Amino acid sequence: MSDTRRHVPRTDAVLAHPQIAHAMCVLGRATVKATIASVQEQARAGRIAPDEVVSVVLASLPERATTLRPVVNATGVLVHTNLGRAPLSRAARDAIDVATGATDVEFDLGTGARARRGRGALAALAEAVPDAEAVHVVNNNAAALLLAATALARDADILLSRGEFVEIGDGFRIPELLAASGTRIREVGTTNRTSLDDYRAALDERTAFILKVHPSNFVVRGFTASVGVAELATLGVPVVVDIGSGLLRPHPLLPNEPDAASVLRAGATLVTASGDKLLGGPQCGLILGSAEVVERLRRHPVARALRVDKLTLAALEATLRGPAPPVAVALDTDESELRARAERLAKELASAGVEVQVVRCRSAIGGGGAPDVELPSWGVGVPAAWARELRTSSPPVVGRVRHGRCVLDLRTVAPDDDARLLAAVKAVHHRCGREPTWRS
Ligand SMILES: *Cc1c(COP(=O)(O)O)cnc(C)c1O
C-alpha cells in the first residue's frame, strides 16, 4: 500500500467531523456515506490529497435530501407543466410548513373527537364559490372526472361531443380515462359542430350524464357550433362540466375560459377543475355543485383512493384565503411594469460589462389553458447558446429560445427573483460570454 493510500482518512473519522455529522442529520446516512466513499476513492487514486477529503466531501454533498431543485421560470409560460405548474404563494408555502407535522386535519381540538377532514380548505372553497351547494377535493382534475364517471355512470352512458374528445397531454385522453371506470362514452355531433338536437337524439334511459369538456389546449375555428351549459341543462339529465383551468370567477383577460361560478349559475350539476393551473394552488381536483351529487361522489369507495393529503389541503386553503398567488400576479401584471424591470436588469448588467437586449415578447398561459391568449410582456435577450448554461446554473434559470436568441421573459419571474436571475446571467457571461463561439 502506498503512503498516500494509507493516509486516506477512514469513514468513521470523516463521519465524526462536526459539519459532516450535521450533513448526516439533513441528508441521511446513506447519502453522506456514498459521497465519502467516492471521495476516498479519488484520494486513493491520488487525484486529491488525503487531508482534502473532508473539504471535498463537504463540497460534493447535495444541498438537500431531494433531487428536485428550485428553478427560475423565465419561459413566459405562466402554468408550465414541466416546471410543476403553479408556483405556490408564500401563504401556501407557510401553510404546508405548518401541516408537515402532526396537525388537526381530521380532529377537533375542542371536543377531542374526529372531525371532517380538510374542513378548513373545503369551507374556503365553498366561500369562494357561493353558487356551489357543496364541494369536494381530490388528487387532480383527472381524478375528479374518474370519480364522477365511477360514481354516476358505471355501466351507463356519458354523452360527449366529438369536438370535446380532448387529449390533455403526455398521451392521456379524457375519453379513455372515463372508459377506464366502466362507463360507455357516446359520441355526439361532429368535430366542428354539435347541436342541442344531437344531444337530444343521443339521450336515452342509459344516459347517466352529459359531459362538457372545455377544449382547453386547442382552438377550433371556422364553421363551428357547440351547445352552452344553460341549453344542455334543459335536457333533464345531469350536466357535468370539466372547466379545466380552475378559474372560480370570470377573468377579463381570459374571455374564453369558463369559470366555476358562471357554469354553476348556468345550470351545471357538477363542475370539475384543476387546482394547480389558473387557480394558482397545489395539485388537486376541485369538485363543486349539487349537494346530493357531491355527497354521492364523496361517499363512493373510490373517493378514498383519490383523496388529497394534509399538505395539499393546507396549501389549497391558503391559496384561496391568502393574497393573490404568483399565477394570478403574473397574469395581472401590467406590461409597463415588466418593461421597467427589464430595463433595470439590462442597466445593471451593462454596468457589470454584460450587454443584453431589452426585448418585447409574448407570454402564454400554458398548462393547457387559454390557447388563444397571448399576453404582451418584456424580458431580456441573451445569446441562444447561453440557454443551456443558464439551465444548469445555480439556481437554474429556464428561458425560451427563439430566433437565435434566448429570451428571459419577466412576466413569469417573481420580482423577488430578479436578483437571482441577474446573478445567473452574470455568472454565465463570466464563464462563456467572452468566447467567440458563444456569440450568436
Ligand atoms: C388540465 C386539464 C385536465 C387534467 O387536469 P389534471 O388536474 O392535470 O388532472 C382535464 N381537463 C381539462 C379540460 C384540462 O384542461
Side-chain angles (χ1 to χ4, degrees):
M1 204 191 269
S2 78
D3 217 34
T4 324
R5 291 188 60 144
R6 212 171 319 117
H7 286 101
V8 172
R10 288 157 41 111
T11 305
D12 43 358
V14 181
L15 283 172
H17 188 278
Q19 266 175 286
I20 291 185
H22 173 75
M24 209 158 61
C25 296
V26 177
L27 301 169
R29 195 178 177 84
T31 303
V32 175
K33 280 184 81 173
T35 306
I36 293 172
S38 100
V39 174
Q40 285 169 325
E41 203 49 51
Q42 294 174 44
R44 283 187 205 105
R47 287 199 296 279
I48 61 170
D51 62 0
E52 288 174 324
V53 166
V54 167
S55 59
V56 175
V57 166
L58 285 172
S60 315
L61 283 170
E63 247 176 276
R64 306 174 184 85
T66 172
T67 53
L68 288 178
R69 303 213 286 152
V71 168
V72 176
N73 173 11
T75 61
V77 178
L78 271 64
V79 181
H80 199 301
T81 299
N82 299 156
L83 298 181
R85 289 199 181 155
L88 297 182
S89 65
R90 187 70 258 163
R93 292 173 194 218
D94 288 347
I96 286 179
D97 203 38
V98 168
T100 47
T103 185
D104 56 341
V105 64
E106 211 175 306
F107 186 68
D108 184 323
L109 292 165
T111 63
R114 181 191 181 133
R116 174 115 188 239
R117 184 180 172 83
R119 59 207 175 285
L122 294 169
L125 182 57
E127 280 168 41
V129 189
D131 294 285
E133 283 175 19
V135 300
H136 184 54
V137 180
V138 289
N139 182 54
N140 58 9
N141 192 5
L145 289 167
L146 183 68
L147 185 57
T150 308
L152 309 177
R154 208 181 147 74
D155 301 319
D157 290 356
I158 295 174
L159 305 192
L160 180 62
S161 163
R162 284 200 171 91
E164 297 171 8
F165 273 58
V166 176
E167 175 170 318
I168 45 185
D170 197 22
F172 289 103
R173 296 170 170 179
I174 288 177
E176 291 173 3
L177 167 82
L178 297 168
S181 72
T183 190
R184 194 176 71 167
I185 310 293
R186 278 200 62 184
E187 302 181 19
V188 180
T190 62
T191 307
N192 55 329
R193 292 179 70 84
T194 302
S195 70
L196 189 62
D197 278 339
D198 292 326
Y199 283 101
R200 200 179 277 125
L203 267 178
D204 59 25
E205 67 288 345
R206 279 186 53 94
T207 307
F209 61 81
I210 295 172
L211 176 64
K212 200 162 169 58
V213 176
H214 176 52
S216 57
N217 51 10
F218 65 98
V219 183
V220 181
R221 281 203 186 82
F223 187 50
T224 63
S226 62
V227 186
V229 175
E231 277 183 283
L232 291 176
T234 63
L235 293 175
V237 289
V239 179
V240 176
V241 184
D242 168 11
I243 60 167
S245 293
L247 276 191
L248 301 182
R249 289 168 292 280
H251 192 289
L253 291 176
L254 307 170
N256 298 325
E257 279 300 299
D259 66 278
S262 306
V263 167
L264 286 168
R265 231 172 282 156
T269 313
L270 216 58
V271 168
T272 76
S274 299
D276 55 353
K277 293 182 178 173
L278 289 171
L279 184 66
Q283 178 191 304
C284 60
L286 312 179
I287 299 174
L288 310 102
S290 136
E292 188 256 320
V293 176
V294 170
E295 189 60 12
R296 268 172 75 190
L297 264 58
R298 206 172 73 77
R299 298 312 317 168
H300 192 280
V302 164
R304 177 56 194 254
L306 309 174
R307 86 173 190 186
V308 287
D309 74 326
K310 57 182 179 170
L311 306 184
T312 303
L313 290 165
L316 176 62
E317 181 176 3
T319 301
L320 290 164
R321 293 202 189 280
V327 170
V329 172
L331 183 61
D332 293 329
T333 301
D334 195 77
E335 68 167 306
S336 61
E337 226 174 281
L338 300 169
R339 181 179 193 166
R341 276 171 63 198
E343 282 166 355
R344 191 165 351 115
L345 280 173
K347 212 168 127 196
E348 285 186 44
L349 286 165
S351 67
V354 188
E355 293 301 328
V356 299
Q357 295 158 295
V358 171
V359 290
R360 205 166 178 218
C361 53
R362 297 193 158 271
S363 314
I365 301 299
D372 51 348
V373 171
E374 282 188 329
L375 305 165
S377 188
W378 291 83
V380 294
V382 299
W386 289 15
R388 186 179 182 282
E389 293 290 322
L390 285 166
R391 286 199 309 273
T392 51
S393 57
S394 190
V397 174
V398 184
R400 195 170 62 221
V401 176
R402 257 191 350 185
H403 311 309
R405 184 163 69 169
C406 174
V407 174
L408 305 174
D409 183 336
L410 294 179
R411 186 177 287 279
T412 51
V413 177
D416 284 353
D417 277 343
D418 279 0
R420 298 208 288 167
L421 185 129
L422 191 78
V425 173
K426 275 190 205 167
V428 170
H429 172 263
H430 187 74
R431 282 210 300 281
C432 56
R434 290 178 213 98
E435 287 183 33
T437 48
W438 294 100
R439 300 240 176 260
S440 61

